[in-house]
Amino acid sequence: MIAHWQEKPAPLLGLLHALHDRDGYLSDESLRAVSEGLPIPLADLYATVTFYHHFARTPPGQRAPRVCTGPICSQRGARDVLQALDDAQEMPCAGRCDHPIPVLVGQQVFTAAPDATLSPIPSPLPPINPSAYEECLFAHIRDAGRHTMAGYRASGGYRGLEKALQKAPGDLLVLLEESRLAGRGGAGFPTGQKWRAVSEATGSPKFVVCNADEGEPGCFKDRALLDHDPHALIEGMILAAYATGATSGFIYLRYEYPETLDRLETALEEARSDGLLGRQIGGKDFHFDLCIRRGAGAYICGEEGSLLNSLEGKHPYPRNRPPFPVTHGFNDCPTAVNNVETLAAVGPIVANGAEWYRNLGLGENAGTKLISLSGDVRRPGNYEVPLGLPLQTLLNDWAGGPLPGRQIQAVTMAGLSGGFLAEKDLEVTLDDPSIRACGSFLGAGGIMVFDDRRDMVDVAAQAMHFFADESCGKCFPCRIGTQRLSERLSGTDGPSAWTDWQSEVEDIGSAMASTSACGLGMAAPHITQSLLKYFPSQIQRHLANQQDLP
Ligand SMILES: Cc1cc2nc3c(=O)[nH]c(=O)nc-3n(C[C@H](O)[C@H](O)[C@H](O)COP(=O)(O)O)c2cc1C
Ligand code: SF4
């Protein structure tokens, strides 16, 4: 097994998964063999392996059920399921907030009923388009057989690639820039500009990396694309390679999507047999192939520097920037790291034109955004919205509004990273300028809804606990700040007088936002800042009776 992986690019994660899948855990013998085979010093390997949630070091390991305890599942009874299942362990948000409560057993995802009965429920399709707005990414996703090569081609798939290959790579860069497509993984960097930087970078070889880590709680839109439209991602990656001059690519897929892995592998084989991957694609001097590497359960591995370190088999700390991945990415070579949604949008943009894509947005906004909507609404699910759509239209007209007899108290933005919006700020439109004016951001587009039954201090405490758990510990403002905020929200430490509590929490948050080394530590204080902004009376109630603190 080790000899087989020694030959492959980015071998460490693949090899660890193979051994973990074989035995159910990583034994001392396995670690020693990996350490000698790759080779990696045993102490470094041990530190890296134990960083990931997924890799168990003892039985029952992978055979133990893992129950999602993300924000929505926690409210749907995840703790009861945890108690009811033998050997069950907690797992952070597993990306099925539209169908809680996911339980992962080995390589299968089940949905747990409140009595902990497990049923294998296939990955849900997005709801039928509830509006007259034209879709880009979901336009054909509900077509029967769309996940196969035949189904994809039947609804116009790979037409963008055919068109692009008739032009020079530089024309593709111009088209992308004109479309104003921006990264959909969270940071919103213009995609055309990123690809141009890779294409102009001097190093070689060049790489395209798809970030399919989707670890942000409340986000599950990449899963829908990967499960039901895998060729859209593959087409986008081939186009990225053509535009940038990349010859190899990776899809970094979160391990929590085991069934997605099978779908993707089949789609890659289909693309290879059709000559869309490999050498001389489209009869041109254009060579590109790609492979999948599974993550192992670490939210920070969605951050691009951390992801690249993880791929390289290093300890997955975020990297200091500059230099940026466009010049110094995988193995220090020029690399385009892009989110699944970003890449999947490129095929339709090339097929239909930059102007078509720009005009899908409302007002000044260009294009569409996938929103993963979950929690206390009647029709949770993935929705493709024109950028600039009022949030209230999504919540009430598209998703059916609050549950009977209830009112929406707050929503999160950017999964958890944008904190909460409430009161008059629920009138925002879904675009960054509007949301940033309220102190938050759209990010990857996860929106979790909390109605008037929910204790927002409790929700905030769980969110901060997640960030504290997932902080990689590399820089102290985040490592210590997330812990201190977590203690203050849960009432286990800190002042009990309101004004002291408020100023201490504000101080910690602003120090974290301005001095943390990566987006995790910068974003986590959105939780406390927005809690202070909208829910001071709920905090005061908790402080008045510390015994009640969650
Ligand atoms: C803590 C953290 C987690 C992240 N997780 C993801 C993720 O799961 N998926 C993703 O595409 N981007 C994630 N990002 C953003 C990536 O660093 C990067 O900006 C993105 O993959 C670039 O692709 P895009 O330009 O297509 O958005 C994360 C960033 C941070 C700081
Ligand atoms: S901000 Fe947090 S997650 Fe990011 S490098 Fe610092 S400790 Fe690690």
Side-chain angles (χ1 to χ4, degrees):
M1 189 182 287
I2 296 196
H4 168 75
W5 278 97
Q6 275 168 332
E7 306 299 313
K8 298 190 176 221
L12 179 65
L13 278 174
L15 180 52
L16 291 174
H17 272 295
L19 293 163
H20 196 261
D21 289 348
R22 184 191 70 186
D23 301 336
Y25 67 101
L26 287 171
S27 64
D28 289 349
E29 275 165 24
S30 293
L31 286 193
R32 266 196 298 275
V34 174
S35 159
E36 282 163 23
L38 285 187
I40 299 176
L42 191 56
D44 291 354
L45 180 63
Y46 183 84
T48 301
V49 162
T50 52
F51 184 85
Y52 295 104
H53 298 304
H54 175 62
F55 292 134
R57 296 274 295 109
T58 49
Q62 180 157 254
R63 289 178 191 116
R66 296 183 186 197
V67 180
C68 175
T69 52
I72 301 305
C73 292
S74 294
Q75 304 202 329
R76 296 289 192 279
R79 301 269 147 211
D80 298 338
V81 174
L82 257 176
Q83 279 185 353
L85 296 174
D86 289 343
D87 293 326
Q89 293 171 8
E90 290 185 36
M91 166 173 64
C93 183
R96 281 252 194 162
C97 322
D98 49 347
H99 215 128
I101 300 162
V103 177
L104 194 61
V105 187
Q107 303 297 318
Q108 227 187 329
V109 183
F110 295 88
T111 297
D115 65 354
T117 316
L118 301 185
S119 327
I121 296 187
S123 166
L125 269 168
I128 304 287
N129 183 359
S131 76
Y133 292 115
E134 186 177 357
E135 294 172 317
C136 166
L137 289 144
F138 285 172
H140 296 288
I141 200 167
R142 308 169 191 92
D143 296 358
R146 172 77 177 180
H147 63 281
T148 64
M149 176 63 84
Y152 187 66
R153 283 198 188 275
S155 43
Y158 288 114
R159 201 157 52 85
L161 179 63
E162 280 160 24
K163 268 177 110 170
L165 291 179
Q166 288 160 19
K167 298 180 182 172
D171 296 337
L172 182 51
L173 291 174
V174 171
L175 181 97
L176 259 254
E177 283 161 350
E178 287 176 355
S179 76
R180 289 175 46 211
L181 175 68
R184 302 299 192 219
F189 192 84
T191 309
Q193 201 178 322
K194 183 182 282 190
W195 289 10
R196 184 174 292 284
V198 177
S199 103
E200 288 174 358
T202 48
S204 86
K206 295 180 181 176
F207 295 91
V208 176
V209 174
C210 168
N211 189 340
D213 200 46
E214 195 157 56
E216 183 70 42
C219 288
F220 45 90
K221 44 105 187 169
D222 292 341
R223 190 210 63 215
L225 291 171
L226 293 161
D227 284 346
H228 301 294
D229 212 358
H231 283 287
L233 168 65
I234 296 169
E235 183 175 6
M237 292 188 76
I238 303 170
L239 286 162
Y242 187 63
T244 58
T247 48
S248 306
F250 297 97
I251 301 173
Y252 188 95
L253 175 70
R254 70 183 312 207
Y255 92 87
E256 291 88 341
Y257 294 168
E259 287 135 352
T260 308
L261 176 67
D262 296 340
R263 273 272 159 103
L264 271 178
E265 275 174 344
T266 309
L268 284 181
E269 272 318 304
E270 287 178 320
R272 240 172 245 125
S273 343
D274 267 25
L276 298 172
L277 291 172
R279 300 200 56 80
Q280 294 184 321
I281 298 166
K284 298 184 79 107
D285 185 23
F286 167 40
H287 320 293
F288 176 68
D289 211 339
L290 60 96
C291 57
I292 306 168
R293 292 289 174 268
R294 287 153 76 193
Y299 169 63
I300 195 59
C301 286
E303 193 282 332
E304 58 188 12
S306 186
L307 184 155
L308 292 167
N309 279 341
S310 172
L311 267 182
E312 289 180 19
K314 296 178 181 154
H315 195 79
Y317 278 144
R319 295 177 174 180
N320 295 339
R321 305 183 316 165
F324 292 90
V326 288
T327 54
H328 295 76
F330 180 70
N331 283 347
D332 245 7
C333 294
T335 304
V337 181
N338 279 115
N339 173 253
V340 175
E341 180 185 346
T342 316
L343 289 160
V346 178
I349 291 175
V350 181
N352 299 307
E355 192 183 356
W356 168 82
Y357 183 72
R358 275 199 318 272
N359 289 340
L360 294 179
L362 303 179
E364 292 298 300
N365 302 290
T368 64
K369 176 79 193 85
L370 299 186
I371 302 289
S372 299
L373 185 68
S374 61
D376 300 327
V377 281
R378 293 181 199 221
R379 289 191 291 278
N382 283 305
Y383 292 91
E384 180 167 8
V385 304
L387 278 166
L389 185 82
L391 171 64
Q392 293 288 4
T393 306
L394 171 67
L395 294 175
N396 294 310
D397 302 349
W398 295 27
L403 302 173
R406 310 266 42 130
Q407 287 194 332
I408 292 176
Q409 178 180 202
V411 301
T412 65
M413 280 286 136
L416 283 179
S417 291
F420 307 111
L421 290 186
E423 300 168 2
K424 68 174 182 16
D425 291 343
L426 292 174
E427 300 305 321
V428 288
T429 51
L430 293 167
D431 55 80
D432 252 327
S434 168
I435 298 168
R436 281 191 190 271
C438 303
S440 180
F441 68 112
L442 184 57
I447 298 183
M448 293 182 271
V449 181
F450 298 96
D451 70 23
D452 49 358
R453 286 169 297 172
R454 308 300 176 192
D455 179 334
M456 296 310 295
V457 180
D458 190 16
V459 175
Q462 284 183 39
M464 197 54 69
H465 180 72
F466 167 81
F467 287 124
D469 240 24
E470 298 294 333
S471 164
C472 79
K474 179 180 157 184
C475 68
F476 72 84
C478 166
R479 183 179 67 232
I480 300 171
T482 50
Q483 290 292 349
R484 295 293 93 90
L485 290 180
S486 190
E487 290 158 6
R488 270 131 197 87
L489 287 165
S490 62
T492 51
D493 206 346
S496 51
W498 160 241
T499 47
D500 295 345
W501 194 95
Q502 183 181 19
S503 71
E504 205 174 286
V505 165
E506 277 171 355
D507 273 2
I508 298 170
S510 69
M512 286 171 67
S514 54
T515 58
S516 291
C518 89
L520 190 155
M522 291 175 201
H526 280 128
I527 292 289
T528 35
Q529 282 157 1
S530 54
L531 191 75
L532 282 164
K533 177 177 178 185
Y534 303 115
F535 302 108
S537 57
Q538 290 197 28
I539 305 172
Q540 284 162 7
R541 218 166 38 239
H542 274 274
L543 289 173
N545 188 356
Q546 288 279 8
Q547 313 310 322
D548 282 351
L549 281 164

